[in-house]
Amino acid sequence: MSEYTTEVKDLPTIEAVDITNYLVLQTSYYTRQQMKAFKSLEAYNFFVSGWVHNLGTKRLRDGYSLVFARSAVMAKLQGFEFWRKTLKEARYVVAPMVDQSELAWRLLSRRHGAQLCYTPMLHAQVFVRDANYRRENLYNEVCEEDSPLIAQFCANDPEVFLQAALLAQDYCDAIDLNLGCPQMIAKRGHYGVFLQDEWDLLEKMVSLANEKLKVPITCKIRVFKEVEKTVRYAQMLENAGCQLLTVHGRTKDQKGAMTGIASWEHIKAVRQAVNIPVFANGNIQHLSDVERCIQETGVQGVMSAEGNLHNPALFEGRSPPVWEMAEEYLEVVKRYPPCTLSYVRAHLFKLWHHTLQIHQDLREELAKVKTLEGLADVSKQLRLRCQVQTGNILSNMPKETVTNGNSQASVLKKTVCQKRALEDCESADTLSKNKQKKRSRNPKKNFCPEQKRKFVLNPVSFNFPLQGNKCVFSLCRGCCKKKAYKEVADCPSHGLRFKTKAEKRKAEEKEQAERSTTEVERSDHIPQPLQDSRRELEEPRLLL
């Protein structure tokens, strides 16, 4: 049992109210942020002085200490009961994303329809040994609005995973084991999807956590190529004590340029084979994808990562202008500090991705500013440019009204001119360290903004281009991927090679068939005496 002590002064009355297994202390002298809550069925040892032995309204004197106890007296919810009561039947889920699903982004997503969020993936071993890591990544991000919340860990040792989970269980509603990360860092650290073949280890990790923790244990996995093996894998985790399973419908090798389309057939098979809630992950870019996925697979909820990063309002079924989401996100960051500047910068690069392909000068500026105010200033300039461009695309702009010799265009031009003018793009001094490294590896690489290919932006949302340059189908990458997959075609400009892979696969199958035919023919030409002697050698000898 852990205890939290707060000095109480000048509090005439305190009322304890039982609200769905939470005991909330209420007083007119406390603000909402100062209220404390604890999970318990009994309120024994409520005050250090021992005055109170039952629930109700009591009067305190100055100087007494109030102890709030959080105990494991409550029975741990499991499976569908956990999903219904603790997670409140969440259907729209924001995925755990390293350095990108921090508190501010989770709160923004919840404002726009997300019902459940995960913390970024936390390294169990570092979480156990480093108190600063615990504070910065979980303890300091406790927020009343950020609920329900699941904390995700990567680990490859049952004891270390258990220790980390015990340190985190009071700050979240469940603990998730990451078995789906396919990146090279996960391969070097031997965690994530690279544990999916070690079933004995995983069974021990999940069962130990399920036995010792007072919150449920969940898992996030990727699928195998074989549906049957994927189903056995999910059933093994369920039997070990997993109470909720998130299935990413891609294999270990589907990443980067080889990402491809997620298989909902695998997810559907898992959902039909297990008796715990299942979340689906993969191929989610719009709310219509969410509804279609639930209908086709029968899952309880759908998780989104990339779609949520590009459009936090995805679960609302709308695609607002990028600047609207960017400004709201910056407002949340200011309201709930601290937030690492690199996280904010990464989110702005993701939101403004296609716009920054055109406005290269502001891309450089966004990469170099060192303060939150500087990031907000660059975002504001991007908004001004996009609003002007939107007006030019959607309609013929009327003649501008000139007031005191200043028009809208002149004001915008003045604002832009105040920024640092770009020097010659071939000069190494203007390149960032990252680009200088790329130049050293490839001296012919061109960073000149004027020679970069231009995108035709969507005039409504600025989220995605209307079409890609040199695309076979003249579509953006997302639409091109779906069309190329459906028609088994290639698109060199987007790096899609569905046709090439299919032809390679057919050639390998044909070569294997020819090889087997040749072996059969060779066996038919073996002389009869040799065949008889080989048959004698293959037959087991009887020991008399």
Side-chain angles (χ1 to χ4, degrees):
M1 178 184 296
S2 58
E3 297 183 344
Y4 306 87
T5 304
T6 303
E7 288 295 322
V8 179
K9 295 183 178 181
D10 301 328
L11 297 182
T13 59
I14 285 187
E15 183 182 0
V17 183
D18 188 359
I19 304 176
T20 62
N21 295 328
Y22 282 81
L23 295 173
V24 182
L25 300 178
Q26 297 178 327
T27 175
S28 58
Y29 287 81
Y30 269 7
T31 62
R32 187 176 183 83
Q33 288 77 19
Q34 291 171 315
M35 292 170 60
K36 301 292 182 178
F38 64 95
K39 297 178 181 178
S40 176
L41 294 179
E42 302 178 16
Y44 55 87
N45 296 331
F46 201 64
F47 298 118
V48 172
S49 63
W51 278 16
V52 178
H53 301 285
N54 59 348
L55 292 178
T57 302
K58 295 294 177 181
R59 186 172 296 274
L60 300 179
R61 295 178 181 175
D62 295 348
Y64 277 92
S65 295
L66 185 61
V67 179
F68 302 96
R70 175 175 292 186
S71 68
V73 177
M74 288 181 58
K76 182 165 60 176
L77 300 179
Q78 298 181 348
F80 281 95
E81 188 180 10
F82 160 66
W83 175 68
R84 282 191 294 266
K85 294 184 178 181
T86 304
L87 302 186
K88 303 172 185 176
E89 299 185 354
R91 300 176 72 213
Y92 305 146
V93 186
V94 176
M97 297 171 284
V98 176
D99 295 344
Q100 296 207 292
S101 59
E102 80 287 356
L103 175 62
W105 189 259
R106 297 197 301 264
L107 293 176
L108 177 67
S109 300
R110 291 182 190 275
R111 287 184 180 183
H112 295 282
Q115 299 168 338
L116 171 64
C117 293
Y118 284 65
T119 67
M121 183 190 72
L122 305 174
H123 198 292
Q125 193 170 17
V126 181
F127 195 86
V128 170
R129 72 167 183 257
D130 192 340
N132 290 330
Y133 183 82
R134 294 195 293 271
R135 284 193 295 269
E136 293 172 1
N137 292 277
L138 184 61
Y139 294 175
N140 289 346
E141 292 194 344
V142 175
C143 177
E144 183 182 0
E145 301 174 19
D146 188 28
S147 178
L149 177 69
I150 297 179
Q152 187 188 70
F153 286 94
C154 66
N156 55 21
D157 183 274
E159 293 297 334
V160 174
F161 176 55
L162 176 61
Q163 292 176 30
L166 288 171
L167 291 170
Q169 65 179 352
D170 289 333
Y171 300 87
C172 59
D173 296 287
I175 300 294
D176 185 79
L177 177 60
N178 185 336
L179 301 175
C181 181
Q183 304 303 325
M184 185 55 65
I185 189 173
K187 185 175 183 179
R188 290 196 297 267
H190 191 56
Y191 58 82
V193 75
F194 299 97
L195 295 176
Q196 71 178 59
D197 292 319
E198 301 183 31
W199 290 17
D200 292 338
L201 173 62
L202 296 181
E203 186 175 9
K204 184 177 180 181
M205 292 176 68
V206 174
S207 60
L208 183 62
N210 181 59
E211 178 185 351
K212 300 295 184 181
L213 296 179
K214 65 184 180 184
V215 295
I217 176 75
T218 69
C219 297
K220 185 174 186 292
I221 66 172
R222 285 197 170 213
V223 300
F224 292 93
K225 290 183 179 180
E226 305 84 3
V227 176
E228 296 78 9
K229 188 174 182 180
T230 304
V231 169
R232 294 198 307 272
Y233 182 40
Q235 290 174 334
M236 179 273 295
L237 293 173
E238 179 189 12
N239 295 332
C242 177
Q243 304 302 323
L244 185 146
L245 197 61
T246 301
V247 184
H248 189 159
R250 294 185 173 91
T251 64
K252 177 171 60 177
D253 299 323
Q254 286 184 278
K255 59 183 178 180
M258 309 290 289
T259 298
I261 304 296
S263 171
W264 287 357
E265 292 298 324
H266 285 70
I267 301 175
K268 181 179 179 180
V270 170
R271 173 67 200 95
Q272 293 174 347
V274 299
N275 296 315
I276 57 176
V278 175
F279 290 162
N281 184 210
N283 302 346
I284 306 299
Q285 296 293 334
H286 307 282
L287 184 61
S288 58
D289 298 332
V290 175
E291 303 299 338
R292 187 164 54 89
C293 180
I294 293 176
Q295 184 177 4
E296 292 185 14
T297 62
V299 294
Q300 279 64 49
V302 173
M303 177 182 287
S304 176
E306 282 294 323
N308 169 261
L309 289 177
H310 283 287
N311 178 18
L314 181 150
F315 292 127
E316 285 186 325
R318 65 190 189 96
S319 184
V322 175
W323 58 80
E324 180 181 320
M325 291 290 96
E327 290 176 353
E328 187 175 358
Y329 171 63
L330 291 171
E331 180 266 326
V332 176
V333 170
K334 293 177 182 177
R335 184 178 175 185
Y336 295 92
C339 184
T340 307
L341 195 67
S342 62
Y343 297 175
V344 183
R345 193 194 314 274
H347 281 299
L348 292 180
F349 266 111
K350 204 76 172 182
L351 290 170
W352 289 109
H353 173 74
H354 296 288
T355 308
L356 290 171
Q357 304 301 316
I358 295 176
H359 304 289
Q360 289 285 333
D361 57 331
L362 292 182
R363 181 183 183 87
E364 297 289 337
E365 194 70 23
L366 185 63
K368 293 181 179 179
V369 291
K370 303 296 184 182
T371 63
L372 185 61
E373 291 73 18
L375 293 174
D377 181 61
V378 175
S379 183
K380 183 178 180 180
Q381 291 187 63
L382 285 166
R383 174 176 62 82
L384 292 174
R385 294 192 186 186
C386 288
Q387 286 176 338
V388 171
Q389 189 173 358
T390 304
N392 292 333
I393 293 175
L394 294 178
S395 62
N396 294 324
M397 295 183 64
K399 293 184 178 180
E400 300 175 5
T401 57
V402 178
T403 305
N404 296 328
N406 293 326
S407 64
Q408 183 180 0
S410 62
V411 172
L412 177 62
K413 183 177 180 181
K414 182 179 179 181
T415 304
V416 175
C417 292
Q418 289 175 349
K419 304 303 296 180
R420 174 185 57 81
L422 287 177
E423 298 177 2
D424 185 74
C425 59
E426 294 298 326
S427 174
D429 296 336
T430 62
L431 297 179
S432 64
K433 291 183 179 179
N434 189 26
K435 289 185 177 181
Q436 291 179 29
K437 290 179 182 179
K438 292 181 180 179
R439 174 65 62 82
S440 64
R441 291 194 297 266
N442 183 9
K444 297 182 179 180
K445 190 171 182 63
N446 179 27
F447 296 102
C448 184
E450 288 74 15
Q451 298 181 18
K452 292 279 186 179
R453 61 177 183 155
K454 304 297 182 181
F455 289 87
V456 181
L457 291 182
N458 188 321
V460 178
S461 65
F462 282 85
N463 279 333
F464 298 98
L466 291 176
Q467 66 180 36
N469 292 3
K470 300 181 181 179
C471 175
V472 175
F473 304 107
S474 297
L475 297 172
C476 69
R477 193 179 192 282
C479 299
C480 175
K481 183 189 293 185
K482 294 179 181 179
K483 191 174 181 64
Y485 177 78
K486 185 177 181 181
E487 299 184 4
V488 192
D490 290 347
C491 180
S493 65
H494 285 134
L496 303 175
R497 302 188 296 275
F498 294 111
K499 183 178 179 181
T500 303
K501 293 177 188 175
E503 291 176 350
K504 183 179 179 181
R505 189 163 51 250
K506 289 181 181 179
E508 291 176 352
E509 292 174 355
K510 183 178 179 181
E511 183 180 353
Q512 185 176 1
E514 292 177 353
R515 192 183 300 114
S516 60
T517 304
T518 305
E519 292 177 355
V520 171
E521 292 177 353
R522 288 178 179 175
S523 62
D524 292 341
H525 289 83
I526 297 177
Q528 187 63 31
L530 186 58
Q531 290 185 6
D532 294 340
S533 61
R534 176 178 295 180
R535 191 179 299 112
E536 290 177 359
L537 290 173
E538 292 176 353
E539 291 177 354
R541 295 183 178 180
L542 297 176
L543 298 177
L544 300 178

